[in-house]
Amino acid sequence: MSAEHSPALASSEKGHEKSATAGPDVILDDYSAAEGSDILALPNDLALNAKIHLVNNAIDEIGWTNYHWKLFVLNGFGYAVDSLCLLLQSIIATQAGYEFTPSYSRALTVAVYVGMLFGALFWGISGDIIGRRFAFNTSLFLCSMFTIIAGAAPNWVALAVFIALLGFGGGGNLIMDTTVFIEYLPSNKQWVLTWLAAWWGLGQAIAGFIAWGFLSPLKWNCPDPFDKAGVRTSFCHKDSNMGWRYVMYTSGALVFAMSIARITVIRLKETPKYLLGEGKDQQLVADFHAMAAKYNRPCSITIEKLDACGVINSAHAKNAFSIGELTIHFRGLFATKTIGLSTVLIWLSWTLIGLAYPLFYVFLSSYLSSRGADFGNVSTYDTWRNYALVNISGIPGPMLAGYMCNFRLLGRKYTMVIGALITMVFFFAYTAIRNESENVGFSCAIAFCLNIYYGTLYAYTPEVLPSAHRATGNGVAVACNRIMGIVSAIVATYANTETSVPIYVCAALYIAMAAVAVAFPFEPYGKRSS
């Protein structure tokens, strides 16, 4: 399943060393100097290019180890928590609404997306300024605390505030998990980054099973206290409506266990490419040799080789906590025309998928009802069982994507094209369903196909961003996605949900996603992340 690229790497070694040491007269374009080597080369910092190349050589020399397996699981926890957090608010909204009678029913949706928006920006930018390790060790802990506290919320406003705060804690996981993982991965295992998205589906499935366990029993949940006209006919007290609180307590405890595992199962050291940008070459070399000794692998990187490359001048400002530091990280995402185009198209892709997916489901139920779909009287038990089944179906999607993107003819770009177009086909077909069995079947198919696209986009984004600015670029990409989640909630509140127009708009968005994927200037297949 993996592709070995060592011959290409060996053949490009001399070309890269020459470009790094030949002085300022050497001109590099956006692409690395030789086919099969590093994806990016920055023309304004030859020392950084040369050092990145040496670090990639060291990572490839050591290869895949048990340390990478631990990173795969522990970074996967972050993916699972991100999806769990997004679903919790929708899972508990109905039962919490019975108890609190909210004036704005979609407040929890807006709250979680706002929290995740600011979380993506905060953890992403801070990951480039103060390092990846801090976010890796603290974000899940914050998320777990606010999830548990949200379960004790006394009213709707307080619940929305705590939902926003748990979203802030968990909102950086998609950024930091991929950033940390890619900066340790040997080049012939970069496709494994796509597999991380399987944890997203697992997180959704866990949310479904927790809801199935606590929201099905009548002893923990109030019946609907409103009549068909929306008038309250009975009261829903806390003592008879503990199901949604148990969901939050259980989820928070699970996330807390994950946060403890992150600091006990593995003692994460700062990533080598962040250390490189910080100028901490001695620590970088020491960490590599310690890893090589632990797993009995060769490691030839030395301080002398790194020193010979020169001094990096584009990774940080003199003052880390300054406007200049922020400027450097955003400017680095547009260092050349090709890198700038890549950055813009990545952000556009995250924006499109962030709008298309939730917008479709905002309109779907009303659209189907207006066209005669009849799902019958589905019990609460069956509802949450079906919910879990659909979410489980999302787990294999990224696994298939990892296999597909490792074929030369497909690569990352055309794997995304296929995932987007197949999802669009199933979305169109979904509008023809008329019963509950068809509903579950098509929902499972969409969850599977969509994660082919999503899983590959998750992996592609950090692969093609410059290492010194990777977390910032990734953070802005995820933030674009969260903004569209807020937009979808607002649209759901004020738009006519029975018209067919939004269905076709969503289909057009998936076609646009496929077109953007084709237009991406970089194909990571056979190359090493910079």
Side-chain angles (χ1 to χ4, degrees), residues 464-512:
V464 300
L465 291 171
S467 61
H469 321 295
R470 177 173 285 130
T472 299
N474 208 352
V476 174
V478 176
C480 291
N481 184 274
R482 306 311 189 198
I483 290 172
M484 291 300 102
I486 298 171
V487 170
S488 68
I490 295 173
V491 169
T493 304
Y494 298 106
N496 176 9
T497 58
E498 294 185 2
T499 175
S500 61
V501 172
I503 305 296
Y504 293 98
V505 170
C506 289
L509 290 175
Y510 277 94
I511 294 173

Side-chain angles (χ1 to χ4, degrees), residues 10-28:
S11 68
S12 66
E13 183 85 23
K14 292 182 180 179
H16 272 274
E17 290 185 352
K18 180 179 178 181
S19 67
T21 58
D25 293 334
V26 175
I27 298 176
L28 298 178

Side-chain angles (χ1 to χ4, degrees), residues 267-512:
R267 298 296 178 90
L268 182 74
K269 296 181 179 180
E270 195 51 81
T271 66
K273 291 180 180 177
Y274 178 79
L275 292 176
L276 200 65
E278 284 277 284
K280 297 178 179 179
D281 293 356
Q282 288 187 338
Q283 184 179 341
L284 181 154
V285 171
D287 289 348
F288 270 135
H289 281 279
M291 179 181 290
K294 181 176 181 179
Y295 297 105
N296 194 27
R297 303 293 175 84
C299 184
S300 58
I301 193 169
T302 64
I303 289 292
E304 290 74 22
K305 289 181 179 179
L306 290 173
D307 286 345
C309 297
V311 178
I312 294 173
N313 59 37
S314 65
H316 293 284
K318 292 182 179 180
N319 182 0
F321 301 98
S322 65
I323 297 298
E325 177 77 4
L326 285 175
T327 301
I328 281 178
H329 291 304
F330 279 96
R331 186 185 298 159
L333 298 170
F334 300 88
T336 68
K337 290 182 179 180
T338 309
I339 293 175
L341 174 63
S342 175
T343 299
V344 170
L345 291 180
I346 287 170
W347 291 351
L348 177 59
S349 294
W350 281 90
T351 302
L352 292 174
I353 189 65
L355 179 61
Y357 184 65
L359 190 63
F360 181 84
Y361 284 105
V362 160
F363 287 89
L364 186 63
S365 60
S366 297
Y367 174 85
L368 293 176
S369 297
S370 68
R371 280 151 180 80
D374 183 12
F375 298 149
N377 294 320
V378 182
S379 69
T380 303
Y381 179 89
D382 287 341
T383 296
W384 292 114
R385 180 205 61 191
N386 296 343
Y387 190 84
L389 289 174
V390 170
N391 289 325
I392 289 174
S393 300
I395 297 174
M399 295 181 175
L400 177 60
Y403 183 78
M404 293 169 61
C405 74
N406 214 37
F407 281 99
R408 182 181 294 275
L409 292 177
L410 294 178
R412 276 61 160 170
K413 293 168 57 173
Y414 289 99
T415 298
M416 282 187 273
V417 170
I418 291 171
L421 293 181
I422 293 178
T423 303
M424 180 202 68
V425 170
F426 275 105
F427 267 25
F428 264 130
Y430 199 175
T431 60
I433 69 170
R434 293 295 179 266
N435 58 60
E436 179 61 12
S437 297
E438 292 175 354
N439 177 36
V440 175
F442 275 91
S443 295
C444 290
I446 288 174
F448 175 81
C449 297
L450 179 66
N451 278 344
I452 294 176
Y453 175 85
Y454 239 145
T456 311
L457 181 63
Y458 286 151
Y460 180 88
T461 299
E463 274 191 293
V464 300
L465 291 171
S467 61
H469 321 295
R470 177 173 285 130
T472 299
N474 208 352
V476 174
V478 176
C480 291
N481 184 274
R482 306 311 189 198
I483 290 172
M484 291 300 102
I486 298 171
V487 170
S488 68
I490 295 173
V491 169
T493 304
Y494 298 106
N496 176 9
T497 58
E498 294 185 2
T499 175
S500 61
V501 172
I503 305 296
Y504 293 98
V505 170
C506 289
L509 290 175
Y510 277 94
I511 294 173

